[in-house]
């Protein structure tokens, strides 16, 4: 493994092995049965095509970034608004949900006497301090988080697949209510949130997609081999249910480590994503210049810690609205990613004619998945309201940043 590959795995797999992503995978497996396995593979293939297209567009200009592509396609202020709205709320909301999940897991699996919120705040403090280290050390630590979480899921998945509690005929039965659960297949698209974080001359994403499939596919099969689909579909912690069925208390403890390490990996990955976006905004003269280098290292982590700590302290972590808000933030990220994909195609087409319409298929499928997730939700209006609110608020912020910049004329 070379350093770029290690970097791509560390950054791209953070969200994929988080407990929130494991819930999506478990619920979708329960709704769709074994059909969720090829659908996850299809989602990985779609993202692989998309990232290759984006990287091809970025390679044409060494100074180019996703924000540059958006500016050329939809304009400066919309590009800044979409970048801000899709990244920073996702970090705050995902961190709040993940840290509290880690706190409850540590309390229930390892130390019953340790306060769950105490552990969540302790983890928040440690992960915040991590961001102050040199970037190389952050990458190494992130690779440790991802590696430990991935190995735990992979081990449980392989063990459970080799020792199924059901016959193959039962496991590969077509679900009776597939018409109701079919819409949940679009949720598999959200498993790859943040996987396009690594950018370089050579895309690391195919490796990320392959690793994700090697880890998650055995786990999904093992879950079906040990737990009834109906229970997987309805459970709020399907990963804990499955791990206990697979290896008893030992499986529960392994999954406890996975939950904590996966939460750390997702938090660190999204923080690095937001640091990258701050640097891009600064390079495009849409944010203070010092953020392009060391500014985002010293400014973003403490502000994030304050925001996440406030969310946990005010009770948002235990509120049902958090799941709705997090889903809205994930949909905003998917909207951002779809827009970047179309912008990349437009950029390539402007330089040379595209040989076929094939590159359009992947972003069209992703856009269809976005609409499907929104419409199939039990609270579509609430999701839409929060998405619109974040876009409007981010538009005002982007407008302010552009107009206070001394080189605003160039930006506009």
């Amino acid at each position: 493994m070379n350093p770029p590959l290690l970097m791509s795995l560390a950054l791209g797999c953070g969200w994929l092995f988080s407990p929130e992503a494991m819930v999506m995978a478990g619920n979708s497996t329960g709704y769709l049965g074994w059909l969720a396995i090829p659908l996850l593979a299809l989602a990985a293939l779609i993202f692989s095509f998309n990232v290759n297209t984006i990287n091809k567009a970025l390679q044409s200009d060494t100074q180019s970034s996703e924000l540059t592509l958006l500016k050329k396609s939809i304009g400066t202020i919309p590009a800044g608004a979409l970048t801000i709205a899709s990244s920073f709320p996702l970090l705050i909301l995902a961190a709040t949900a993940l840290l509290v999940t880690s706190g409850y897991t540590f309390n229930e699996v390892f130390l019953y006497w340790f306060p769950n919120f105490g552990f969540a705040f302790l983890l928040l403090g440690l992960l915040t301090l991590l961001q102050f280290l040199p970037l190389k050390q952050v990458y190494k630590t992130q690779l440790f988080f991802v590696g430990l979480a991935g190995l735990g899921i992979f081990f449980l998945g392989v063990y459970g697949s080799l020792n199924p509690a059901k016959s193959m005929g039962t496991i590969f039965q077509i679900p009776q209510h597939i018409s109701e659960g079919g819409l949940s297949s679009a949720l598999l698209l959200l498993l790859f949130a943040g996987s396009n974080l690594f950018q370089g001359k050579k895309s690391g994403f195919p490796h990320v997609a392959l690793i994700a499939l090697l880890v998650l596919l055995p786990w999904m099969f093992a879950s079906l081999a040990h737990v009834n689909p109906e229970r997987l579909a309805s459970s709020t912690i399907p990963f804990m249910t499955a791990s206990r069925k697979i290896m008893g208390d030992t499986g529960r403890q392994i999954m406890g480590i996975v939950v904590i390490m996966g939460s750390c990996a997702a938090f660190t990955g999204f923080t690095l994503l937001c640091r990258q976006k701050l640097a891009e905004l600064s390079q495009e003269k849409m944010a203070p210049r010092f953020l392009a280098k060391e500014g985002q290292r010293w400014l973003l982590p403490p502000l994030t810690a304050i925001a996440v700590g406030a969310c946990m302290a005010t009770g948002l972590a235990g509120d049902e609205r958090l799941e709705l808000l997090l889903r809205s933030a994930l949909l905003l990220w998917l909207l951002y990613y779809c827009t970047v994909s179309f912008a990349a195609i437009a950029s390539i087409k402007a330089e040379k004619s595209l040989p076929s319409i094939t590159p359009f298929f992947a972003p069209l499928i992703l856009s269809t998945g976005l609409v499907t997730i929104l419409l199939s939700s039990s609270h579509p209006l609430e999701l839409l309201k929060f998405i619109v609110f974040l876009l409007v608020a981010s538009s005002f912020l982007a407008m302010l940043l552009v107009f206070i910049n001394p080189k605003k004329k160039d930006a506009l």
Side-chain angles (χ1 to χ4, degrees):
M1 287 190 182
N2 52 47
L5 174 55
L6 290 175
M7 190 185 302
S8 66
L9 293 179
L11 299 181
C13 290
W15 172 255
L16 296 175
F17 301 152
S18 71
E20 291 294 330
M22 295 285 286
V23 170
M24 293 180 193
N27 290 160
S28 294
T29 302
Y31 277 120
L32 300 171
W34 67 271
L35 293 176
I37 295 175
L39 282 171
L40 181 64
L42 176 62
L45 187 63
I46 291 170
F47 274 76
S48 296
F49 282 138
N50 248 25
V51 170
N52 285 335
T53 302
I54 293 172
N55 277 349
K56 189 179 295 184
L58 295 177
Q59 287 171 17
S60 61
D61 183 359
T62 56
Q63 301 300 318
S64 183
S65 65
E66 290 181 355
L67 182 57
T68 309
L69 294 176
L70 287 175
K71 281 179 62 177
K72 293 178 180 177
S73 180
I74 62 177
T76 298
I77 292 176
L82 188 56
T83 299
I84 294 169
S86 63
S87 303
F88 300 99
L90 180 56
L91 168 62
I92 303 302
L93 295 169
T96 301
L98 293 169
L99 291 175
V100 171
T101 299
S102 295
Y104 278 108
T105 301
F106 186 79
N107 173 269
E108 294 177 5
V109 176
F110 299 109
L111 292 177
Y112 291 99
W113 55 265
F114 201 97
N116 43 40
F117 273 90
F119 183 80
F121 277 101
L122 175 63
L123 204 56
L124 174 61
L126 293 175
L127 292 174
T128 300
L129 291 175
L130 172 65
Q131 291 298 317
F132 295 137
L133 296 177
L135 204 54
K136 187 176 180 180
Q137 302 304 319
V138 179
Y139 287 150
K140 288 181 179 180
T141 308
Q142 173 71 348
L143 188 62
F144 171 77
F145 292 152
V146 169
L148 205 54
L151 284 174
I153 300 169
F154 182 71
F155 176 77
L156 287 172
V158 171
Y159 184 89
S161 298
L162 294 177
N163 300 277
K166 304 177 187 176
S167 65
M168 289 295 118
T170 303
I171 295 172
F172 284 99
Q173 273 186 338
I174 301 294
Q176 296 180 351
H177 303 291
I178 193 163
S179 59
E180 298 177 9
L183 294 178
S184 69
S185 63
L187 293 177
L188 295 174
L189 298 172
L190 297 182
L191 287 173
F192 291 90
S195 298
N196 61 321
L197 178 56
F198 177 75
Q199 297 173 6
K201 292 292 183 182
K202 295 181 179 179
S203 171
F205 184 78
H207 303 294
V208 174
L210 179 60
I211 293 295
L213 292 179
L214 288 176
V215 171
L216 292 176
L217 294 188
W219 169 252
M220 293 167 74
F221 180 84
S223 298
L224 278 175
H226 289 267
V227 185
N228 292 330
E230 295 79 10
R231 190 172 179 184
L232 283 174
S234 60
S235 177
T236 56
I237 47 171
F239 48 86
M240 276 298 180
T241 303
S243 61
R244 187 184 294 109
K245 289 284 186 179
I246 291 171
M247 288 190 70
D249 195 53
T250 301
R252 184 167 164 267
Q253 291 176 351
I254 293 174
M255 185 52 67
I257 295 173
V258 168
V259 168
I260 295 171
M261 291 297 103
S263 298
C264 292
F267 180 97
T268 304
F270 280 143
T271 303
L272 291 170
L273 172 65
C274 289
R275 286 176 61 172
Q276 183 187 85
K277 296 309 173 189
L278 279 177
E280 290 179 8
L281 288 167
S282 180
Q283 289 163 2
E284 294 297 325
K285 303 178 178 62
M286 297 179 63
R289 185 177 299 177
F290 74 95
L291 292 176
K293 294 183 179 180
E294 291 297 307
Q296 28 84 11
R297 172 184 173 186
W298 301 107
L299 183 63
L300 180 65
L303 291 179
T304 300
I306 292 171
V308 174
C311 288
M312 292 194 294
T314 54
L316 179 61
D319 198 311
E320 294 180 355
R321 292 177 299 172
L322 179 59
E323 182 181 353
L324 192 66
L325 296 176
L326 179 55
R327 187 59 52 83
S328 300
L330 285 166
L331 289 175
L332 257 175
W333 175 86
L334 191 54
L335 174 62
Y336 165 85
Y337 187 62
C338 291
T339 309
V340 170
S341 303
F342 283 116
I345 294 173
S347 177
I348 296 173
K349 192 173 182 180
E351 294 184 5
K352 55 182 180 180
S353 58
L354 291 174
S356 66
I357 62 171
T358 306
F360 287 94
F361 289 156
L364 283 173
I365 293 173
L366 288 174
S367 301
T368 303
L370 170 64
V371 176
T372 302
I373 295 170
L374 185 61
L375 295 180
S376 63
S377 169
S378 55
H379 305 283
L381 289 179
E382 286 80 358
L383 286 173
L384 191 58
K385 286 179 183 177
F386 188 65
I387 289 172
V388 172
F389 169 77
L390 284 178
L391 287 173
V392 171
S394 299
S395 297
F396 281 111
L397 179 57
M399 218 179 300
L400 178 64
L401 290 172
V402 169
F403 280 98
I404 65 175
N405 193 287
K407 295 183 179 180
K408 61 181 181 235
K409 294 181 180 179
D410 295 334
L412 292 171

